[in-house]
Protein backbone atom coordinates (compact mmCIF):
# COMPACT_ATOMS: atom_id res chain seq x y z
CA UNK A 1 0.00 0.00 0.00
CA UNK A 2 1.29 3.44 -0.95
CA UNK A 3 -0.18 6.87 -0.45
CA UNK A 4 -0.21 10.08 1.58
CA UNK A 5 -1.61 10.89 5.03
CA UNK A 6 -2.53 14.21 6.55
CA UNK A 7 -1.37 13.43 10.09
CA UNK A 8 2.40 13.87 10.23
CA UNK A 9 2.40 17.37 8.76
CA UNK A 10 -1.08 18.78 9.44
CA UNK A 11 -2.39 16.70 12.36
CA UNK A 12 -5.92 18.01 13.07
CA UNK A 13 -5.41 21.21 11.06
CA UNK A 14 -6.78 19.64 7.90
CA UNK A 15 -9.40 20.90 5.46
CA UNK A 16 -11.10 19.90 2.24
CA UNK A 17 -9.05 22.52 0.40
CA UNK A 18 -5.77 21.15 1.75
CA UNK A 19 -6.70 17.58 0.83
CA UNK A 20 -7.56 18.61 -2.73
CA UNK A 21 -4.32 20.57 -3.08
CA UNK A 22 -2.28 17.63 -1.77
CA UNK A 23 -4.09 15.30 -4.16
CA UNK A 24 -3.28 17.58 -7.08
CA UNK A 25 0.35 17.67 -5.96
CA UNK A 26 0.41 13.86 -5.86
CA UNK A 27 -0.62 13.83 -9.51
CA UNK A 28 1.55 16.74 -10.69
CA UNK A 29 4.72 15.52 -8.93
CA UNK A 30 4.51 12.00 -10.33
CA UNK A 31 3.82 10.36 -6.97
CA UNK A 32 0.52 8.94 -8.16
CA UNK A 33 2.13 7.39 -11.21
CA UNK A 34 4.87 5.97 -8.99
CA UNK A 35 2.20 4.13 -6.98
CA UNK A 36 1.14 6.55 -4.24
CA UNK A 37 -2.63 6.36 -4.72
CA UNK A 38 -4.23 6.51 -1.25
CA UNK A 39 -5.16 9.92 0.15
CA UNK A 40 -5.63 9.30 3.87
CA UNK A 41 -7.51 11.89 5.92
CA UNK A 42 -6.48 11.12 9.48
CA UNK A 43 -8.00 12.33 12.75
CA UNK A 44 -9.69 15.72 12.79
CA UNK A 45 -12.31 15.54 10.02
CA UNK A 46 -15.22 14.64 12.31
CA UNK A 47 -18.05 16.88 13.44
CA UNK A 48 -20.88 15.56 15.61
CA UNK A 49 -23.65 12.99 15.39
CA UNK A 50 -27.23 14.07 14.67
CA UNK A 51 -30.35 12.91 16.51
CA UNK A 52 -30.38 9.65 14.50
CA UNK A 53 -26.74 8.98 15.35
CA UNK A 54 -25.37 9.72 11.89
CA UNK A 55 -21.85 11.13 11.98
CA UNK A 56 -21.25 14.32 10.02
CA UNK A 57 -17.93 15.93 9.08
CA UNK A 58 -16.98 19.27 10.59
CA UNK A 59 -17.27 22.56 8.72
CA UNK A 60 -13.83 22.10 7.14
CA UNK A 61 -15.32 19.30 5.04
CA UNK A 62 -18.60 20.53 3.52
CA UNK A 63 -19.22 17.50 1.29
CA UNK A 64 -17.32 14.25 1.86
CA UNK A 65 -19.01 12.44 -1.01
CA UNK A 66 -17.97 15.17 -3.41
CA UNK A 67 -14.42 15.05 -2.06
CA UNK A 68 -14.39 11.31 -2.67
CA UNK A 69 -15.50 11.85 -6.27
CA UNK A 70 -12.79 14.49 -6.71
CA UNK A 71 -10.09 12.05 -5.59
CA UNK A 72 -11.44 9.18 -7.69
CA UNK A 73 -11.57 11.39 -10.79
CA UNK A 74 -7.82 11.90 -10.39
CA UNK A 75 -7.05 8.21 -10.18
CA UNK A 76 -6.65 8.29 -6.41
CA UNK A 77 -8.26 6.37 -3.56
CA UNK A 78 -10.05 7.85 -0.57
CA UNK A 79 -8.90 6.98 2.97
CA UNK A 80 -10.56 7.99 6.23
CA UNK A 81 -9.97 7.54 9.96
CA UNK A 82 -12.04 6.36 12.92
CA UNK A 83 -11.77 4.47 16.20
CA UNK A 84 -13.57 1.58 17.92
CA UNK A 85 -13.69 3.81 21.00
CA UNK A 86 -16.18 6.51 21.90
CA UNK A 87 -13.59 9.15 21.02
CA UNK A 88 -10.63 9.29 18.67
CA UNK A 89 -7.12 10.12 19.82
CA UNK A 90 -7.79 13.81 19.19
CA UNK A 91 -11.12 13.71 21.03
CA UNK A 92 -13.54 13.54 18.10
CA UNK A 93 -16.45 11.06 17.90
CA UNK A 94 -15.39 7.45 17.39
CA UNK A 95 -17.45 4.54 16.10
CA UNK A 96 -18.28 2.74 19.37
CA UNK A 97 -21.87 1.40 19.11
CA UNK A 98 -22.18 2.99 15.66
CA UNK A 99 -20.06 0.57 13.62
CA UNK A 100 -22.71 -0.47 11.09
CA UNK A 101 -24.06 3.06 10.75
CA UNK A 102 -20.60 4.55 10.20
CA UNK A 103 -19.63 1.84 7.73
CA UNK A 104 -22.69 2.67 5.63
CA UNK A 105 -21.79 6.37 5.80
CA UNK A 106 -18.22 5.70 4.72
CA UNK A 107 -19.43 3.55 1.83
CA UNK A 108 -21.84 6.27 0.70
CA UNK A 109 -18.96 8.73 0.65
CA UNK A 110 -16.89 6.40 -1.55
CA UNK A 111 -14.24 5.61 1.06
CA UNK A 112 -11.75 2.96 -0.10
CA UNK A 113 -9.79 2.35 3.09
CA UNK A 114 -10.36 2.96 6.79
CA UNK A 115 -7.67 3.49 9.40
CA UNK A 116 -9.10 2.21 12.68
CA UNK A 117 -7.18 3.49 15.70
CA UNK A 118 -7.67 1.98 19.18
CA UNK A 119 -7.44 5.26 21.13
CA UNK A 120 -10.19 5.51 23.77
CA UNK A 121 -11.12 1.85 23.36
CA UNK A 122 -8.28 1.38 25.82
CA UNK A 123 -10.80 2.50 28.46
CA UNK A 124 -13.08 -0.38 27.49
CA UNK A 125 -10.18 -2.80 27.71
CA UNK A 126 -9.28 -1.48 31.15
CA UNK A 127 -12.85 -1.73 32.44
CA UNK A 128 -13.75 -5.09 30.94
CA UNK A 129 -10.34 -6.75 30.69
CA UNK A 130 -9.40 -6.00 34.31
CA UNK A 131 -5.71 -6.55 33.63
CA UNK A 132 -6.18 -9.93 31.93
CA UNK A 133 -4.07 -9.48 28.78
CA UNK A 134 -5.59 -12.46 27.00
CA UNK A 135 -9.09 -11.13 27.62
CA UNK A 136 -8.03 -7.65 26.48
CA UNK A 137 -6.67 -9.18 23.31
CA UNK A 138 -9.96 -10.97 22.64
CA UNK A 139 -11.94 -7.79 23.30
CA UNK A 140 -9.82 -5.71 20.94
CA UNK A 141 -9.86 -8.36 18.24
CA UNK A 142 -13.66 -8.49 18.54
CA UNK A 143 -13.92 -4.70 18.24
CA UNK A 144 -11.74 -4.59 15.14
CA UNK A 145 -13.56 -7.59 13.63
CA UNK A 146 -16.92 -5.91 14.22
CA UNK A 147 -15.95 -3.00 12.01
CA UNK A 148 -14.50 -5.38 9.42
CA UNK A 149 -17.86 -7.19 9.21
CA UNK A 150 -19.70 -3.87 9.03
CA UNK A 151 -17.55 -2.74 6.13
CA UNK A 152 -18.13 -6.02 4.29
CA UNK A 153 -21.88 -5.68 4.79
CA UNK A 154 -21.95 -2.41 2.85
CA UNK A 155 -21.12 -4.21 -0.38
CA UNK A 156 -18.59 -1.47 -1.13
CA UNK A 157 -14.96 -2.65 -0.93
CA UNK A 158 -13.25 -0.84 1.95
CA UNK A 159 -9.87 -2.02 3.20
CA UNK A 160 -9.14 -1.98 6.92
CA UNK A 161 -5.86 -0.93 8.46
CA UNK A 162 -5.49 -1.20 12.24
CA UNK A 163 -3.60 0.83 14.80
CA UNK A 164 -2.97 -0.13 18.42
CA UNK A 165 0.77 0.67 18.66
CA UNK A 166 1.65 -3.01 18.36
CA UNK A 167 0.12 -4.00 21.69
CA UNK A 168 -1.49 -7.33 22.63
CA UNK A 169 0.47 -9.36 20.04
CA UNK A 170 -1.49 -7.80 17.19
CA UNK A 171 0.75 -9.29 14.49
CA UNK A 172 -0.45 -12.76 15.48
CA UNK A 173 -4.15 -12.05 14.88
CA UNK A 174 -4.62 -8.88 12.81
CA UNK A 175 -5.23 -10.71 9.49
CA UNK A 176 -7.95 -12.78 11.17
CA UNK A 177 -9.61 -9.50 12.19
CA UNK A 178 -9.72 -8.41 8.55
CA UNK A 179 -6.67 -6.13 8.48
CA UNK A 180 -4.58 -5.55 5.38
CA UNK A 181 -1.99 -3.81 7.57
CA UNK A 182 -1.51 -3.12 11.25
CA UNK A 183 0.66 -0.82 13.31
CA UNK A 184 3.44 -2.51 15.23
CA UNK A 185 4.95 0.57 16.91
CA UNK A 186 4.32 3.80 18.74
CA UNK A 187 4.07 6.96 16.60
CA UNK A 188 7.07 7.84 14.48
CA UNK A 189 8.60 11.32 14.79
CA UNK A 190 10.68 13.47 12.45
CA UNK A 191 14.05 12.75 14.06
CA UNK A 192 16.63 10.03 13.52
CA UNK A 193 16.57 8.67 17.06
CA UNK A 194 12.83 7.99 17.08
CA UNK A 195 12.61 6.85 13.47
CA UNK A 196 15.52 4.43 13.76
CA UNK A 197 14.45 2.98 17.11
CA UNK A 198 11.02 2.25 15.65
CA UNK A 199 12.31 0.85 12.36
CA UNK A 200 15.01 -1.39 13.79
CA UNK A 201 12.63 -2.71 16.47
CA UNK A 202 10.81 -4.60 13.70
CA UNK A 203 13.40 -7.38 13.70
CA UNK A 204 11.67 -10.72 14.04
CA UNK A 205 8.31 -9.66 12.58
CA UNK A 206 9.04 -10.63 8.96
CA UNK A 207 7.16 -13.91 9.28
CA UNK A 208 3.88 -12.04 9.73
CA UNK A 209 4.08 -10.15 6.41
CA UNK A 210 2.72 -11.71 3.24
CA UNK A 211 0.46 -11.10 0.23
CA UNK A 212 -2.45 -8.91 1.29
CA UNK A 213 -1.19 -8.11 4.78
CA UNK A 214 1.71 -6.02 6.03
CA UNK A 215 3.27 -4.90 9.28
CA UNK A 216 3.19 -1.13 9.61
CA UNK A 217 5.94 0.74 11.52
CA UNK A 218 4.02 4.01 10.90
CA UNK A 219 4.22 6.66 8.21
CA UNK A 220 7.14 8.24 6.39
CA UNK A 221 8.63 11.49 7.64
CA UNK A 222 10.59 12.08 4.42
CA UNK A 223 10.54 15.78 3.54
CA UNK A 224 9.27 17.17 6.83
CA UNK A 225 12.63 18.79 7.58
CA UNK A 226 13.77 17.20 10.83
CA UNK A 227 16.30 14.79 9.31
CA UNK A 228 19.09 14.86 6.76
CA UNK A 229 18.86 13.35 3.30
CA UNK A 230 20.87 10.31 4.42
CA UNK A 231 18.57 9.82 7.41
CA UNK A 232 15.47 10.00 5.21
CA UNK A 233 17.18 7.57 2.82
CA UNK A 234 17.61 5.26 5.80
CA UNK A 235 13.89 5.36 6.54
CA UNK A 236 12.94 4.65 2.92
CA UNK A 237 15.40 1.75 2.75
CA UNK A 238 14.37 0.20 6.06
CA UNK A 239 10.66 0.49 5.30
CA UNK A 240 11.29 -1.15 1.88
CA UNK A 241 13.20 -3.99 3.55
CA UNK A 242 10.23 -4.49 5.89
CA UNK A 243 7.71 -4.57 3.02
CA UNK A 244 5.93 -1.82 4.96
CA UNK A 245 3.22 0.50 3.63
CA UNK A 246 4.77 3.65 2.19
CA UNK A 247 2.57 6.50 3.34
CA UNK A 248 4.13 9.90 2.73
CA UNK A 249 3.54 12.42 5.50
CA UNK A 250 5.04 15.63 4.15
CA UNK A 251 3.47 18.67 2.49
CA UNK A 252 3.53 17.60 -1.15
CA UNK A 253 2.72 21.12 -2.33
CA UNK A 254 6.16 22.41 -1.29
CA UNK A 255 8.16 19.21 -1.85
CA UNK A 256 11.69 19.80 -3.19
CA UNK A 257 13.44 17.70 -5.80
CA UNK A 258 15.53 15.72 -3.29
CA UNK A 259 12.40 14.66 -1.39
CA UNK A 260 10.61 13.71 -4.58
CA UNK A 261 13.55 11.60 -5.72
CA UNK A 262 13.69 9.78 -2.39
CA UNK A 263 9.97 9.04 -2.45
CA UNK A 264 9.83 7.95 -6.10
CA UNK A 265 13.03 5.96 -6.65
CA UNK A 266 11.61 3.14 -8.82
CA UNK A 267 14.05 0.46 -7.65
CA UNK A 268 13.28 1.15 -3.99
CA UNK A 269 9.54 1.14 -4.65
CA UNK A 270 9.85 -2.12 -6.60
CA UNK A 271 11.56 -3.69 -3.59
CA UNK A 272 8.90 -2.48 -1.17
CA UNK A 273 6.06 -3.62 -3.43
CA UNK A 274 7.66 -6.93 -4.48
CA UNK A 275 4.98 -9.57 -5.14
CA UNK A 276 6.51 -12.10 -2.73
CA UNK A 277 5.52 -9.66 0.04
CA UNK A 278 7.94 -11.24 2.49
CA UNK A 279 9.51 -8.82 4.91
CA UNK A 280 13.22 -8.76 5.62
CA UNK A 281 15.07 -9.26 8.85
CA UNK A 282 18.31 -8.48 10.63
CA UNK A 283 21.13 -10.68 9.33
CA UNK A 284 24.26 -9.34 11.04
CA UNK A 285 25.21 -6.70 13.58
CA UNK A 286 28.46 -5.33 14.96
CA UNK A 287 28.40 -2.27 17.19
CA UNK A 288 26.35 0.37 15.39
CA UNK A 289 26.47 -1.45 12.04
CA UNK A 290 23.53 -3.60 10.96
CA UNK A 291 22.91 -5.68 7.85
CA UNK A 292 19.37 -6.68 6.92
CA UNK A 293 18.26 -9.02 4.10
CA UNK A 294 14.99 -9.49 2.23
CA UNK A 295 14.22 -12.16 -0.40
CA UNK A 296 12.39 -11.13 -3.58
CA UNK A 297 10.04 -12.94 -5.93
CA UNK A 298 12.47 -13.15 -8.86
CA UNK A 299 15.11 -15.04 -6.87
CA UNK A 300 17.25 -12.01 -6.12
CA UNK A 301 17.56 -10.53 -2.65
CA UNK A 302 18.18 -7.16 -1.08
CA UNK A 303 20.88 -6.39 1.42
CA UNK A 304 20.74 -3.18 3.44
CA UNK A 305 23.83 -2.06 5.35
CA UNK A 306 23.03 0.57 8.00
CA UNK A 307 25.45 2.73 9.97
CA UNK A 308 23.60 3.84 13.09
CA UNK A 309 26.66 5.54 14.57
CA UNK A 310 26.83 9.27 15.13
CA UNK A 311 29.79 11.12 13.60
CA UNK A 312 32.55 11.34 16.21
CA UNK A 313 35.55 13.70 16.16
CA UNK A 314 35.28 14.18 12.44
CA UNK A 315 35.00 10.44 11.71
CA UNK A 316 31.92 10.10 9.55
CA UNK A 317 32.48 6.91 7.53
CA UNK A 318 33.15 3.24 8.22
CA UNK A 319 34.75 0.67 5.92
CA UNK A 320 33.33 -2.85 5.69
CA UNK A 321 35.17 -5.85 4.27
CA UNK A 322 33.25 -9.03 5.09
CA UNK A 323 33.48 -12.45 3.38
CA UNK A 324 30.07 -13.43 2.06
CA UNK A 325 30.32 -16.70 3.96
CA UNK A 326 30.49 -14.81 7.24
CA UNK A 327 27.01 -13.51 6.43
CA UNK A 328 25.74 -16.98 5.58
CA UNK A 329 25.43 -15.99 1.93
CA UNK A 330 26.87 -17.25 -1.33
CA UNK A 331 28.92 -14.89 -3.43
CA UNK A 332 26.49 -13.05 -5.74
CA UNK A 333 27.07 -12.76 -9.45
CA UNK A 334 25.93 -9.14 -9.72
CA UNK A 335 25.27 -6.32 -7.30
CA UNK A 336 23.33 -3.14 -7.89
CA UNK A 337 23.64 -0.22 -5.51
CA UNK A 338 19.98 0.68 -5.54
CA UNK A 339 20.29 4.35 -4.62
CA UNK A 340 23.19 5.20 -6.93
CA UNK A 341 22.27 2.80 -9.71
CA UNK A 342 25.87 1.58 -9.92
CA UNK A 343 26.19 -2.05 -10.99
CA UNK A 344 29.20 -4.27 -10.26
CA UNK A 345 30.22 -7.90 -10.48
CA UNK A 346 30.36 -9.89 -7.28
CA UNK A 347 33.66 -10.28 -5.43
CA UNK A 348 34.66 -12.68 -2.59
CA UNK A 349 33.91 -9.98 0.00
CA UNK A 350 31.24 -7.44 0.71
CA UNK A 351 33.34 -4.29 0.56
CA UNK A 352 31.93 -0.81 0.99
CA UNK A 353 32.21 2.50 2.80
CA UNK A 354 29.21 3.84 4.67
CA UNK A 355 28.77 7.19 6.37
CA UNK A 356 27.13 7.80 9.74
CA UNK A 357 23.32 7.67 9.76
CA UNK A 358 23.29 6.38 6.19
CA UNK A 359 22.53 3.17 4.34
CA UNK A 360 23.85 1.23 1.38
CA UNK A 361 21.06 -0.71 -0.31
CA UNK A 362 22.22 -3.55 -2.55
CA UNK A 363 20.25 -5.85 -4.82
CA UNK A 364 22.06 -9.18 -5.10
CA UNK A 365 21.65 -11.47 -8.09
CA UNK A 366 22.79 -15.10 -7.75
CA UNK A 367 25.29 -16.85 -10.04
CA UNK A 368 24.20 -17.08 -13.69
CA UNK A 369 21.14 -14.99 -12.98
CA UNK A 370 19.84 -13.25 -16.11
CA UNK A 371 19.54 -9.60 -15.15
CA UNK A 372 15.95 -8.48 -15.52
CA UNK A 373 14.93 -5.13 -16.96
CA UNK A 374 15.11 -2.57 -14.18
CA UNK A 375 12.37 0.01 -13.52
CA UNK A 376 12.86 3.28 -15.34
CA UNK A 377 13.53 6.37 -13.26
CA UNK A 378 11.11 9.28 -13.14
CA UNK A 379 12.34 12.53 -14.62
Amino acid sequence: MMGWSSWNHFQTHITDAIVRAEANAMVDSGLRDAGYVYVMIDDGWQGERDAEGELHPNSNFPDMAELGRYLHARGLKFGLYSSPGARTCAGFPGSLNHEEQDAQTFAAWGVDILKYDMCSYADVLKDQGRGDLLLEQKLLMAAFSKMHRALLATGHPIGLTLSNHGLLNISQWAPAAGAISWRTTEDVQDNYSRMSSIGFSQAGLARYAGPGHAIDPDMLEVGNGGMTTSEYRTQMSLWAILAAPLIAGNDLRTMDRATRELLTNPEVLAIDQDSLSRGGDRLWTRGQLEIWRRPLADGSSVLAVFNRATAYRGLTATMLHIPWGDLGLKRPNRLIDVWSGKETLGSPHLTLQITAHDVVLLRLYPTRYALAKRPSRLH
Side-chain angles (χ1 to χ4, degrees), residues 1 40 113-118 137 140-141 144 159-187 198 201-202 204-219 239 242-247 277-279:
M1 184 173 70
M40 307 288 294
I113 193 166
L114 178 69
K115 177 181 175 181
Y116 212 41
D117 197 344
M118 182 175 74
Q137 182 186 91
L140 185 59
M141 183 177 179
F144 285 155
L160 181 65
T161 178
L162 304 178
S163 179
N164 79 329
H165 293 176
L167 302 174
L168 300 173
N169 299 314
I170 189 171
S171 292
Q172 298 178 10
W173 51 265
I180 60 175
S181 70
W182 56 93
R183 280 279 298 281
T184 52
T185 70
E186 297 287 341
D187 290 354
I198 280 177
S201 73
Q202 302 305 284
L205 296 181
R207 64 188 183 276
Y208 297 112
H213 50 273
I215 63 171
D216 178 11
D218 205 7
M219 296 166 283
W239 266 233
L242 295 170
L246 297 181
I247 306 299
S277 300
R278 284 181 57 188

Side-chain angles (χ1 to χ4, degrees), residues 237-238 240-242 267-268 270-272 274 278-281 283 291-306 324 329 336-339 359-365:
S237 301
L238 184 50
I241 284 286
L242 295 170
E267 288 88 356
V268 176
I271 292 167
D272 180 80
D274 182 73
R278 284 181 57 188
D281 217 332
L283 181 67
I291 299 179
W292 288 54
R293 179 179 178 271
R294 178 184 172 185
L296 300 179
D298 66 356
S300 67
S301 62
V302 180
L303 209 66
V305 183
F306 299 97
W324 291 104
L329 302 176
I336 294 175
D337 184 320
V338 175
W339 285 109
V359 59
V360 174
L361 192 62
L362 301 170
R363 190 156 182 172
L364 312 181
Y365 292 89

Side-chain angles (χ1 to χ4, degrees), residues 1-6 26 31-32 34-40 76-77 113 219-220 244-250 252 263 272-273:
M1 184 173 70
M2 296 170 59
W4 173 86
S5 169
S6 59
M26 288 176 75
L31 260 69
R32 180 200 61 185
Y36 292 85
V37 295
Y38 286 97
V39 177
M40 307 288 294
L76 300 167
K77 294 183 182 295
I113 193 166
M219 296 166 283
L220 298 172
L246 297 181
I247 306 299
N250 59 311
L252 304 179
L263 289 172
D272 180 80
Q273 299 291 299

Side-chain angles (χ1 to χ4, degrees), residues 6 16 20-21 45 65 75 92 109 150-151 159 170 178 233 315 318 323 371:
S6 59
D16 178 284
R20 290 173 189 250
W45 63 266
F92 295 94
W109 290 345
L151 295 174
I170 189 171
R233 183 164 51 238
L315 299 175
T318 300
L371 191 61

Side-chain angles (χ1 to χ4, degrees), residues 98-178:
H98 293 274
E99 292 84 358
E100 292 82 4
Q101 190 174 29
D102 286 356
Q104 293 292 337
T105 297
F106 300 152
W109 290 345
V111 171
D112 300 296
I113 193 166
L114 178 69
K115 177 181 175 181
Y116 212 41
D117 197 344
M118 182 175 74
C119 297
S120 67
Y121 198 75
D123 296 335
V124 177
L125 299 182
K126 182 179 180 180
D127 290 341
Q128 298 183 16
R130 300 181 183 279
D132 184 331
L133 295 182
L134 182 59
L135 178 56
E136 289 184 4
Q137 182 186 91
K138 291 179 178 178
L139 289 168
L140 185 59
M141 183 177 179
F144 285 155
S145 298
K146 185 176 183 180
M147 178 54 83
H148 174 57
R149 292 192 300 272
L151 295 174
L152 289 176
T154 68
H156 176 76
I158 303 177
L160 181 65
T161 178
L162 304 178
S163 179
N164 79 329
H165 293 176
L167 302 174
L168 300 173
N169 299 314
I170 189 171
S171 292
Q172 298 178 10
W173 51 265

Side-chain angles (χ1 to χ4, degrees), residues 247-282:
I247 306 299
N250 59 311
D251 187 347
L252 304 179
R253 302 168 302 178
T254 58
M255 178 171 53
D256 61 20
R257 180 175 179 178
T259 297
R260 175 179 173 274
E261 289 178 349
L262 285 173
L263 289 172
T264 59
N265 182 287
E267 288 88 356
V268 176
L269 300 188
I271 292 167
D272 180 80
Q273 299 291 299
D274 182 73
S275 62
L276 188 62
S277 300
R278 284 181 57 188
D281 217 332
R282 184 183 286 122

